[in-house]
Amino acid sequence: MNTLLRGALMAFLAATSMASPLATTSSTSTSAAGAPTFTPLTPAEIKDLQTELLLAASYKDKEQVLFPAGNGGSANNVSFQFVNSQGPPPQDGSVIVGSVDSIPGLIGTHVAAAVGFIGPCGLNVPHLHPRGNEFLTVVSGTLIGAFLLEEDGQFAGDIPQVAMTLTNFTGMLFPQGHIHWQFNPTCEQAVFAAAFDSNDEGRFQVAQTFFSSMPDNVLTSSLGNPAFLGPTQLDQLRGIIPEAFVVMVDSCAQSCGIKTGS
């Protein structure tokens, strides 16, 4: 390193060592380490931020909206708490999504994420994301992930699919627009984290094909959570949902000693 460059580096290090790494104000909640802690935004605050960000002409303008002067150096507007550790644990079948609807700071990016909890022998029912690819990683437990392949030409017989058993810290791509699902074949809860390459990936339930001609109101009252099927709902849906899913959930429930009725 030449003398001039070394001198410039030492001057920079000296200046930054005298500065506080995070400016804070008395109104900002901080952790023991001195960094601001997350505070959930109200629906009104989310809507106001969304409007301001959509009107911002440049990235610098967006920075001023997200990190205004006097906010204590907080990144609250680009942060999100998927699960409140102080609250009740998430129910089986819960999928918490962080997208532009909950994180205004994602506007202008191609990023969203989700955290999901699938109970023993539970099925995250067939669905697709019309505006984004998904990469799902299991962080606890085991899931079987599967999606249907694109079928060229005239339809004849079963649509081909691919599948993979996903254990801890194993991930799988679910391409945009492809019908896919995840099944927990074990007697323990499984937890996953998913990333999307769109800040508004969307979710389309394939209820019309998955549940045949069952009316939506009957589906909702039977399942409680139409996006998730567990052993306790199975008896109500025998003869309505495809037999392959019945066998899959039923066999697992028997192995785990879980009743298939409410």
Side-chain angles (χ1 to χ4, degrees):
M1 182 183 297
N2 61 44
T3 303
L4 181 61
L5 182 57
R6 183 182 294 110
L9 177 59
M10 294 303 295
F12 172 76
L13 292 175
T16 55
S17 66
M18 294 185 291
S20 171
L22 281 172
T24 59
T25 65
S26 58
S27 61
T28 302
S29 177
T30 60
S31 67
T37 55
F38 178 72
T39 302
L41 298 173
T42 66
E45 289 172 331
I46 290 175
K47 182 60 68 176
D48 288 344
L49 279 171
Q50 289 172 334
T51 301
E52 291 184 63
L53 288 168
L54 289 171
L55 293 174
S58 67
Y59 181 77
K60 192 64 180 176
D61 292 335
K62 291 181 179 179
E63 277 194 343
Q64 292 173 355
V65 172
L66 292 170
F67 317 111
N71 81 331
S74 174
N76 200 77
N77 291 335
V78 293
S79 302
F80 184 68
Q81 186 176 41
F82 288 91
V83 178
N84 184 350
S85 59
Q86 304 301 317
Q91 295 183 344
D92 290 338
S94 299
V95 178
I96 303 96
V97 179
S99 66
V100 288
D101 293 328
S102 50
I103 314 174
L106 295 181
I107 289 176
T109 72
H110 298 284
V111 175
V115 173
F117 303 81
I118 301 180
C121 307
L123 175 72
N124 188 14
V125 303
H127 62 282
L128 61 86
H129 303 292
R131 294 180 295 276
N133 295 287
E134 173 184 11
F135 193 87
L136 180 148
T137 301
V138 171
V139 296
S140 176
T142 300
L143 289 175
I144 295 174
F147 63 84
L148 300 182
L149 299 178
E150 184 173 332
E151 182 73 2
D152 292 330
Q154 184 176 0
F155 171 74
D158 294 336
I159 300 175
Q161 72 172 34
V162 294
M164 179 59 61
T165 298
L166 307 173
T167 54
N168 283 14
F169 308 112
T170 307
M172 177 178 174
L173 172 68
F174 296 93
Q176 177 179 346
H178 283 246
I179 296 173
H180 62 279
W181 57 90
Q182 295 89 29
F183 173 66
N184 179 356
T186 76
C187 306
E188 304 293 333
Q189 186 186 65
V191 181
F192 69 80
F196 300 92
D197 62 355
S198 167
N199 57 15
D200 186 22
E201 77 292 341
R203 175 173 172 135
F204 179 80
Q205 294 297 127
V206 195
Q208 289 80 1
T209 53
F210 180 55
F211 294 102
S212 185
S213 59
M214 190 177 192
D216 287 344
N217 61 330
V218 178
L219 169 62
T220 301
S221 63
S222 297
L223 289 178
N225 179 2
F228 175 77
L229 171 62
T232 57
Q233 296 104 346
L234 191 60
D235 283 353
Q236 300 161 276
L237 298 173
R238 291 182 190 274
I240 299 173
I241 64 175
E243 183 64 20
F245 288 106
V246 172
V247 172
M248 186 168 60
V249 175
D250 203 10
S251 175
C252 177
Q254 290 182 25
S255 298
C256 296
I258 302 174
K259 293 183 178 180
T260 56
S262 55

